Amino acid sequence: MPVTSVKKDPMTLTMTIVAEFDATIARVWKLWEDPRQLERWWGPPTYPATVTAYDFTPGGRVSYFMTGPGGDQPRGWWRFVAVESPHRIEFENGLADESGAPQPDMPAMVVRVSLGEATPGRTRMAVESVFPSSEAMERFLHMGMEEGMCAAIGQVDALI
Amino acid sequence: MLIIYNHMVVDYQHRNRTDEVFHALADATRRSIVERTLQRDYSVSELARLFPMSFAAVQKHVAVLERAELVTKRRQGREQCVRSNVVAIRRAQKQLERYEVLWRSRIERMNEILDEDS
């Protein structure tokens, strides 16, 4: 398992997950930089993500939607706060309406990614997520995340 | 509590909750209120008798704790009942557990993509 640690703080609604990959920093950076690669890992197979706009620069915006098993297509957006190749990415992630515009009543969450060399040729990735409220978190969990969890549990069951 | 302040470029709008929790717990009276309400519910007037300060001052402290979602307040007859928000914290813990499963599966998929290269 690439995951090496997970820290969760319910008081501040923050989670930090750390993983190590057998790949260079440049290669792991590509997983974030290239929207076609991002689409392959952001959503689970049962709830794939389609990225319709991707501006990977500070202040740049991302539009995407997920496609659920029932054909439902919830939309989301990102806004990059920092893009510092190849070590650091920070973005806000929010839910969007049908037209792709941010939902006004829905505060964004913040995601901070940092990449570093664990050992030569091996990359350590830390992802810190901060939710604005428990209510907002529930809505994020419902947007393809719930389905993601079920799919992931299904995969684990298949392995056992 | 885990907070990573290694990135100083921060959008303060989204630091609100963390800031509020820290601000709320930075004061001895408020920490004492949190500790007490973990044992049982207190009315605001009961709390006011415990601390050398006015009812209004205690009410202000309770409001800060409320904003940080550390306590909830509800009316019970003529009294305001202050209750520790353990339920909300437990709920947040459960939500974070679901979120962890989500990220574990994302990282698993990232790893599979990287494996394809070699």
Side-chain angles (χ1 to χ4, degrees), chain A residues 66-77:
Chain A
M66 318 282 286
T67 304
D72 54 311
Q73 292 191 324
R75 290 176 177 274
W77 60 270

Side-chain angles (χ1 to χ4, degrees), chain B residues 51-65:
Chain B
F51 302 103
M53 57 184 73
S54 66
F55 182 88
V58 168
Q59 223 167 9
K60 270 186 194 160
H61 282 308
V62 170
V64 173
L65 292 170

Side-chain angles (χ1 to χ4, degrees), chain A residues 12-68:
Chain A
T12 55
L13 299 177
T14 302
M15 185 188 86
T16 304
I17 190 163
V18 181
E20 278 187 28
F21 298 109
D22 207 6
T24 61
I25 294 177
R27 180 63 191 92
V28 176
W29 182 261
K30 196 97 185 141
L31 290 174
W32 289 92
E33 183 183 43
D34 178 354
R36 300 291 84 81
Q37 297 208 1
L38 180 81
E39 286 171 336
R40 293 179 59 197
W41 63 264
W42 183 258
T46 52
Y47 228 92
T50 306
V51 178
T52 52
Y54 202 77
D55 179 6
F56 195 54
T57 55
R61 288 187 176 271
V62 175
S63 295
Y64 69 98
F65 62 86
M66 318 282 286
T67 304

